[in-house]
Amino acid sequence: MKRLLILMVLVFLTSGALGAGRLESTRPGFASQQIAGLSSTPALLSEINPSPASLTASALESLLPKLSGRPANILARQLGKKMLGGKKLEGSTSPITGMDNIESADGYDWENEPSMAVNPQNPSIVVVFTHYYNATSGGSCQAIVSYDGGVSFDWIHDYVYPPVPSGGGCSDPVVRFSPDGSYAYYLYMDVDASGHSKIVLQRASGYNPTSLIGTPVTVFEHPDYFVDKPWVDVSYYDLANPGVVYVTATWFDASGFSYITFNVSANYGTTWGYAPNNPVAVAWITSSSLLVQGSRPIGVRLSGNGYLSICFYYSNADGIRNSTYSTPCVAHNSYGGVFGSGSWSPFFYPGGVHKYELSQWLGPSSTYHRWWGGMFPSLAVDEQGMVYVAYTADPNTNQGDIEAGNVYLARFFIDTLAGSTLPPVLVGSGTTAQGYPTVAARFDYATGKYMVFVGYGDYLTGNAKYNTVYRKALRAPSGSGIFNLPFGGKVKVSDRPSSSDIWFIGDYIDSALTGRTYHIVWTDRSDVPILDEDDDVLHDMFVP
C-alpha cells in the first residue's frame, strides 16, 4: 500500500487519559498526556514549508473542490470557469422576485451565510453579519444591528464590507463580541481580482457596532498560499482577560496541501501573537488527496486558566468526500500561548469516526445546493467548560439518495478532555436530509441545568424544500447524568418552507443564547422558486 505522508499532529488519546467523569479538584496540564516522540507545540508555517511555490492559475483551479462555497464561486469566476463541481455557475437566468424581510437586507440583493452575536453585557444589542451581493455590484458583506434585542434592525446605519473595495469579494463573514461587551469583531475573507485572499478583522464599538474603530487588520495573508474558511471566537465568561481573540483558517499551497492555522490577540485584536504570513499551523497534511478544512476555535476561563479548543473537518485517509471522516480537536490550557505559557494537547476525536461523508451537492443525484460544508463543525461552550461539537454526516453509503444527512452532537470538557470518547448524540434524522447545524449553550438558573440548543435545516419530501428547526436539551451539572443530553422535540423556526437552491445557500447558519433568549439566523428562500437566486437572511428568537 502506498504510504501517505500525513505530516499532521493527529493522534488518538488512550482511553485511560480521559476518564469517565468530571475531575473538579484537579485540572492537569496537557503535557502529561503527550505521546512519546511528538512535539507538544505546533509548528510555525515557515517551519513546515519555508519556500512554497507560487500559486499559478492552474494551481488555483485545482483547489476549487476544496474551498468553501463563496470563495470557490468567486475564484471560479475570476479564472473564467463556467462549471464548478459538475454544475454550471450561477447566473441571472431568472428574475429576482424577492420581498423585504426586516431581518434581511432587501428583496433585490442576495444575502446568505449569516453569522450573529449578542453583546454579553447588553443583550439588547444584536448583530447579524452576512454575505450581501448581486449580479452587478459583486460580492460584499453587510452588518446589521438591532438595539432592541432583535425585535427590529437598524437599516439606516447598516455597514457594507470590505470598507475599501479590492475588486474581489467579501466572504465567510463572522461576528463576535468581546466578553466585556466593549468591542464587536467583524472577521471576513477578502478575495481580490487576481485570486489572492487574506483574512481581515474590523473592530467596532460594542455598544454601537456600526461605529468602526480604525481600519481592517490583516490576520492571515501570504502571497503563495490561498487562505480560506476563517472563524473568530473569544474566551467566554472571562472578564479578567477580556481582550483575548482567537482566529483560525485553512491555508492551501500550490501542491494542494492543506493547513489549519491559528492566531491569537491579547488586546482586542489590535496586535497579534504571530505575523500574518507566519501563523501557527496546528494541523497539516502533505497529500493533495486528503484535506483538513472548516476549523473553529472556542475558549472559556476555568479556575484562572484560559482554555482553548480548535476543531475541524478531516477527510481521513480514505480521501475527500469518499467514505468516512473525522472532526479532530486540539486543546490549549493557557489562551493558546498568547501570554507565553501553557501547552497543547495531542489531537482527539469527539464522536469518533463519522459515517459517512456528505456529497458535494445535496441529493437526490446532486440536484440542489452545495452540501458538503455541513460536515464542518459548529462549536459552543458552557460556563462549566463543556464543549459541544455539532456536525452533519450521511447515515448511509449512498451519496445520491434523498437521505443525505443526519445532525449529530459530540461533547467533551475542555480542560480534562473527559467525554470525548463517548458516542455522539443523534439530534436530527429522518428519511430526508438534515444539515448545516448551529449549536449554542449556557447555564439556566431557572432549572439549575445547562441548556444546549441545536438548530439546523430540516428538509421535506424530496429535499426540494426545507424548514429551519431547533431542538433543546438540558444536562445535569454533576452526577452520573452529566454527559446525558435528552433532547426535546423539534421546534419549527421558519414560518414557511424555503425552496432549496440549485447552487448555494451558504456554508453555515448561526445562533446565540443569553439568559433570557435563544437567537437563530438562517438563509431563507420562502419567497422564491428553486432557480431564483434571491436569498434572504432571517432572524428569530425564543424564550429558552
Side-chain angles (χ1 to χ4, degrees):
M1 177 180 293
K2 181 180 179 181
R3 183 181 181 185
L4 295 174
L5 298 177
I6 307 176
L7 295 178
M8 186 178 185
V9 196
L10 283 173
V11 295
F12 285 97
L13 287 174
T14 62
S15 58
L18 294 174
R22 179 71 163 145
L23 301 177
E24 289 291 349
S25 59
T26 60
R27 301 187 184 276
F30 293 124
S32 63
Q33 297 175 357
Q34 292 297 326
I35 293 178
L38 291 177
S39 171
S40 62
T41 304
L44 291 174
L45 198 66
S46 64
E47 295 175 352
I48 298 170
N49 192 354
S51 301
S54 298
L55 281 169
T56 62
S58 60
L60 287 170
E61 183 178 340
S62 69
L63 295 180
L64 291 176
K66 302 177 182 180
L67 301 183
S68 55
R70 181 63 182 158
N73 192 314
I74 294 172
L75 190 59
R77 289 182 181 275
Q78 291 168 347
L79 293 171
K81 305 298 292 182
K82 298 184 182 299
M83 301 287 289
L84 181 61
K87 282 194 176 185
K88 185 178 180 180
L89 284 171
E90 297 95 317
S92 302
T93 57
S94 57
I96 296 173
T97 57
M99 63 180 184
D100 290 349
N101 296 285
I102 196 165
E103 297 85 1
S104 175
D106 56 57
Y108 301 97
D109 296 273
W110 315 329
E111 309 87 39
N112 55 38
E113 199 160 299
S115 176
M116 70 158 299
V118 180
N119 188 311
Q121 304 304 319
N122 187 349
S124 63
I125 301 174
V126 179
V127 180
V128 175
F129 192 27
T130 73
H131 286 154
Y132 177 71
Y133 50 92
N134 58 39
T136 58
S137 64
S140 297
C141 299
Q142 180 171 250
I144 311 162
V145 182
S146 171
Y147 296 97
D148 55 13
V151 176
S152 62
F153 284 79
D154 179 6
W155 296 104
I156 298 175
H157 300 101
D158 60 355
Y159 201 84
V160 176
Y161 298 81
V164 180
S166 60
C170 172
S171 184
D172 295 60
V174 188
V175 60
R176 289 294 184 264
F177 281 94
S178 61
D180 60 3
S182 60
Y183 287 90
Y185 303 118
Y186 298 112
L187 185 83
Y188 57 93
M189 177 180 174
D190 189 3
V191 186
D192 67 24
S194 67
H196 174 72
S197 65
K198 62 181 177 180
I199 309 302
V200 295
L201 182 85
Q202 172 68 64
R203 299 186 302 161
S205 165
Y207 298 99
N208 181 14
T210 62
S211 177
L212 304 184
I213 298 173
T215 57
V217 176
T218 299
V219 183
F220 295 123
E221 182 180 28
H222 194 290
D224 299 321
Y225 290 86
F226 190 89
V227 190
D228 188 31
K229 210 58 185 170
W231 199 264
V232 61
D233 229 312
V234 297
S235 192
Y236 285 90
Y237 321 116
D238 188 357
L239 296 180
N241 292 288
V244 176
V245 189
Y246 304 121
V247 175
T248 61
T250 308
W251 289 47
F252 294 97
D253 64 21
S255 299
F257 301 165
S258 52
Y259 309 77
I260 300 297
T261 59
F262 164 75
N263 211 340
V264 56
S265 171
N267 54 11
Y268 297 98
T270 304
T271 59
W272 292 84
Y274 301 94
N277 64 350
N278 196 28
V280 169
V282 297
W284 62 96
I285 291 181
T286 57
S287 169
S288 60
S289 62
L290 305 181
L291 180 64
V292 287
Q293 246 287 26
S295 60
R296 294 198 185 184
I298 202 163
V300 66
R301 182 179 172 88
L302 295 171
S303 299
N305 292 334
Y307 287 87
L308 160 73
S309 187
I310 300 170
C311 302
F312 52 92
Y313 159 89
Y314 169 47
S315 65
N316 286 349
D318 51 30
I320 304 168
R321 293 189 296 271
N322 185 27
S323 182
T324 65
Y325 80 99
S326 303
T327 306
C329 301
V330 67
H332 193 280
N333 57 9
S334 184
Y335 297 98
V338 68
F339 298 116
S341 61
S343 58
W344 293 90
S345 75
F347 279 85
F348 54 99
Y349 297 73
V353 175
H354 311 326
K355 296 182 177 180
Y356 295 92
E357 295 209 54
L358 302 185
S359 55
Q360 186 170 9
W361 307 95
L362 176 62
S365 303
S366 299
T367 302
Y368 301 118
H369 46 260
R370 196 183 317 272
W371 187 238
W372 76 285
M375 294 185 288
F376 303 163
S378 174
L379 303 185
V381 64
D382 62 31
E383 295 93 324
Q384 200 177 12
M386 182 173 279
V387 176
Y388 304 89
V389 184
Y391 59 89
T392 308
D394 195 325
N396 60 58
T397 59
N398 185 356
Q399 287 196 335
D401 65 356
I402 295 172
E403 216 314 22
N406 287 343
V407 171
Y408 297 88
L409 187 71
R411 67 280 196 204
F412 62 91
F413 280 109
I414 198 170
D415 55 343
T416 63
L417 312 185
S420 62
T421 59
L422 293 174
V425 177
L426 177 61
V427 180
S429 63
T431 58
T432 56
Q434 296 79 38
Y436 285 125
T438 176
V439 59
R442 70 168 299 138
F443 185 70
D444 179 23
Y445 288 94
T447 62
K449 296 182 179 181
Y450 290 91
M451 299 183 293
V452 185
F453 283 75
V454 179
Y456 57 93
D458 187 30
Y459 286 75
L460 306 179
T461 303
N463 292 341
K465 292 181 178 292
Y466 63 93
N467 284 310
T468 300
V469 303
Y470 75 81
R471 294 184 66 192
K472 172 187 174 182
L474 294 174
R475 77 162 182 88
S478 61
S480 59
I482 194 168
F483 290 111
N484 292 339
L485 294 172
F487 277 91
K490 289 189 299 187
V491 177
K492 193 168 75 167
V493 175
S494 48
D495 295 327
R496 296 183 297 169
S498 291
S499 296
S500 292
D501 195 298
I502 295 297
W503 300 286
F504 183 62
I505 62 168
D507 283 335
Y508 51 81
I509 63 175
D510 205 3
S511 57
L513 184 60
T514 71
R516 298 185 178 185
T517 311
Y518 170 62
H519 297 260
I520 183 169
V521 290
W522 71 97
T523 301
D524 186 271
R525 293 177 44 80
S526 60
D527 63 318
V528 295
I530 287 173
L531 290 174
D532 197 311
E533 296 174 290
D534 178 25
D535 300 337
D536 292 318
V537 166
L538 300 190
H539 162 272
D540 210 343
M541 52 191 180
F542 301 83
V543 176

